Amino acid sequence: MPGEDGVVSNEPKRRVSIITEPISEARVGHDNFGFEPNKRKISQHSHHSEEGPVRRKSNLHNANADSSNNKSLDQRNGEVRSKKPSFSDAFAKINQEYENAQQNAHLEQSWIYALCMRCREEYTTPSWEPPGWQRICPYPLCPPYRQIARIISIILIGVLLWITAYVIIGDSAAPGGQLFQLVVLTVAANFGGFLISLTTLPRLIGMLLVGLLFQNVGWVNLDGEFTKVTAELRKIALTIILTRAGLEMDPHAFKKVYITILKLGLIPWIVEFGLIGVLTHFFLELPWLWSLLLGSIIAAVSPAVVVPCLFRLRTKGYGVAKGIPTLIIAVAGIDDAASVAVFGIMTSIMFTAKGLAFQIAQAPVCIFGGLGFGVFWGALCKYIPEREDAYVVPIRTLMLFGGGLLAVFGSEKIHFEGAGPLAVVFAAFTASYFWCGDGWELEDNPVSTAFEIFWMIFEPILFGITGASIKIRELDPHIVSIGIGCIYTCIIIRIIVTAGIAFGDQLNVKEKIFVAVSWMSKATVQAALGPVALKTVTTQHRPHEEHHFAELVKNFCILSIILSAPLGALLISVTGTKLLKKTKPITEPPEGWRRSHRPSLHDISIIDEDEEREDIEGIADEDTAANTLSNAQTSSVFAVTK
């Protein structure tokens, strides 16, 4: 290209900039490295001249030319230019990224992550820390200050309440008293649940085992007059369980697939209910009424075990395309409602000294009376309080909770025990339906949050005292072996029946098997209702033979929890990835699942689902991540070499 002196240059032609204004005759030579007129504007930030065209920097230029880290700069024809990165620099950078990814993947599988890092994942904002906190509790070996402060505050509140109870009640709240033992059992059960949750099993298993240990070691004694207190606590826990089940049912999803929900919820329940009744009648020699009473309890499915396991699968995309999580949640709610209602009708018939007409009226009065009161109370919660009230959330929570307690305790008082639990479920379901119509979201219902807090308090109480009611030395090995056989036989037959009747529901064979397996776990209803018959027999001073039957019912229920809950949770986690179809993450969750960061009400019994997140940007496992990074490393090396 001819220069200013007319000599032709042998240098290669290069385009080093993009001119933002039209080329004019006066601008000849602006792209020549050797041509530098006085009025040329060197860069957009230059103040040499306000005249002449404005040039943008070449794409080959480094925007941060002033920095000198890992770069060598030279001056060439008045232009600052950075060197191309060397082969060793690129190779070192790729290796560093690969080592960091491997280290992160290894950390998430280590015991440090399992015991320490999980405590930090539930927080979306950093925790404030007092000065010097990191020297006392370094990261990541200790939980954040927020977590420890929460634990300390709970302990202080508990101590204050205990001191107040001791001043009011006296010796029962003192060390050695039964109330004090109950408090210690509750705290220990909560800790035992946390330890079990580290194995990904439900927390309630640890709570049950702690109660069993305390009873058989002799650290707790809740017999005698204190059984009245534990019986009332069970009723309160049952009210919370049923209210949460009603609030979790999606009215719109129920309307769309109500035939499937009723079919899968009632037919397998009826089959298991009848099987338990027949097997226990002939093998355990229980009278028909007692065997059917036991069948009504055992046939219930435990959402506290099923739903959290499904939630972890759902976060990875398993089963969401066909709405399998919604189906299982709804069926579990219907299943529990049926168990509690039939149990109430059976106890009313068995333990009420009324005439034949009264006993015949039990079923229709309990069903229609419970439904009527539930719908009425749920509709009342729509209008009272007014929806724009500043205190609408706490008032609605107390209204729903108070109505549930009235239904449970009131129905027992008038000897129609089956109506109360049914009323609780439908009151919560009706109230949730109206609240969603007013603008609340089912997945982020603040009343559900309040009942989750109630459950955090009553869950260790319920399972702790349930485990403490078992005395191993009094168990008959022959009865235990028969009970194990009956439980597993009924579970297998229920799985076969459920998979067989799931025709016409747009589920393939694998999905039918998974749905059937997911309903094998027993826990919450069995823990709440198992000891009720024994308490009733004791308070009414029934014959000694009925005490034996009631003991069998209680032990059978607890045995079903121990045998089915851990196995059910394990099978759901293992078979879910094999039997369900995985889809890509979607922006809008399927119906029936929460969209907010608030944990699902069933998730209180298990560890946070975030622990199952993908290792590296959606890559399923560590081996795939290593292969992907290795391929990227090879490609980058070839690119640098070229």
Side-chain angles (χ1 to χ4, degrees), residues 248-269:
E248 193 72 5
M249 294 171 61
D250 187 351
H252 301 290
F254 187 86
K255 186 185 299 183
K256 292 179 181 178
V257 292
Y258 70 95
I259 296 178
T260 300
I261 291 174
L262 293 176
K263 179 179 66 176
L264 295 180
L266 294 180
I267 295 179
W269 181 90

Side-chain angles (χ1 to χ4, degrees), residues 109-281:
Q109 298 176 357
S110 65
W111 64 270
I112 296 179
Y113 176 82
L115 296 177
C116 306
M117 296 297 292
R118 273 183 41 224
C119 299
R120 300 175 177 269
E121 290 189 348
E122 62 177 287
Y123 305 115
T124 57
T125 58
S127 171
W128 174 85
E129 296 178 351
W133 179 258
Q134 285 298 323
R135 290 195 297 270
I136 302 174
C137 299
Y139 173 90
L141 299 180
C142 297
Y145 175 74
R146 183 182 302 168
Q147 180 83 357
I148 294 181
R150 178 190 295 177
I151 295 174
I152 294 176
S153 63
I154 293 175
I155 294 175
L156 291 177
I157 292 172
V159 171
L160 293 175
L161 292 176
W162 172 73
I163 295 175
T164 304
Y166 175 72
V167 172
I168 297 174
I169 299 175
D171 294 339
S172 181
Q178 289 184 311
L179 181 59
F180 183 83
Q181 292 177 3
L182 177 61
V183 173
V184 174
L185 174 62
T186 302
V187 175
N190 203 4
F191 182 71
F194 168 74
L195 294 180
I196 288 294
S197 69
L198 297 178
T199 66
T200 71
L201 291 175
R203 289 169 51 91
L204 57 89
I205 300 300
M207 299 174 184
L208 197 68
L209 293 177
V210 167
L212 187 67
L213 174 65
F214 272 48
Q215 173 64 52
N216 292 276
V217 173
W219 293 345
V220 67
N221 179 20
L222 303 179
D223 298 331
E225 294 296 327
F226 202 73
T227 55
K228 297 180 180 179
V229 177
T230 57
E232 305 309 319
L233 291 174
R234 284 194 187 94
K235 294 176 185 176
I236 297 174
L238 179 64
T239 302
I240 297 172
I241 293 169
L242 297 176
T243 303
R244 295 169 63 206
L247 290 173
E248 193 72 5
M249 294 171 61
D250 187 351
H252 301 290
F254 187 86
K255 186 185 299 183
K256 292 179 181 178
V257 292
Y258 70 95
I259 296 178
T260 300
I261 291 174
L262 293 176
K263 179 179 66 176
L264 295 180
L266 294 180
I267 295 179
W269 181 90
I270 293 173
V271 170
E272 188 171 9
F273 164 70
L275 279 174
I276 289 290
V278 172
L279 292 177
T280 54
H281 172 73

Side-chain angles (χ1 to χ4, degrees), residues 31-92:
D31 282 310
N32 192 334
F33 290 126
F35 183 80
E36 198 69 44
N38 294 330
K39 293 186 178 182
R40 179 186 173 200
K41 191 167 185 176
I42 297 176
S43 68
Q44 294 181 2
H45 301 286
S46 174
H47 300 286
H48 293 112
S49 175
E50 298 299 330
E51 301 178 9
V54 179
R55 301 178 59 210
R56 290 189 304 187
K57 276 194 175 182
S58 167
N59 294 332
L60 301 177
H61 290 185
N62 188 353
N64 299 321
D66 293 336
S67 62
S68 59
N69 294 334
N70 299 325
K71 299 175 183 177
S72 63
L73 305 178
D74 64 344
Q75 295 286 340
R76 183 176 181 182
N77 292 334
E79 190 107 30
V80 178
R81 202 176 267 286
S82 62
K83 286 187 177 181
K84 186 183 293 186
S86 65
F87 174 83
S88 59
D89 292 339
F91 191 79

Side-chain angles (χ1 to χ4, degrees), residues 5-18:
D5 54 0
V7 180
V8 178
S9 175
N10 293 325
E11 293 184 359
K13 298 179 181 180
R14 301 183 59 190
R15 188 178 187 86
V16 297
S17 67
I18 301 175

Side-chain angles (χ1 to χ4, degrees), residues 296-317:
S296 67
I297 305 174
I298 299 299
V301 176
S302 175
V305 177
V306 174
V307 177
C309 299
L310 284 171
F311 194 86
R312 293 206 305 274
L313 292 174
R314 176 256 167 195
T315 56
K316 293 184 175 183

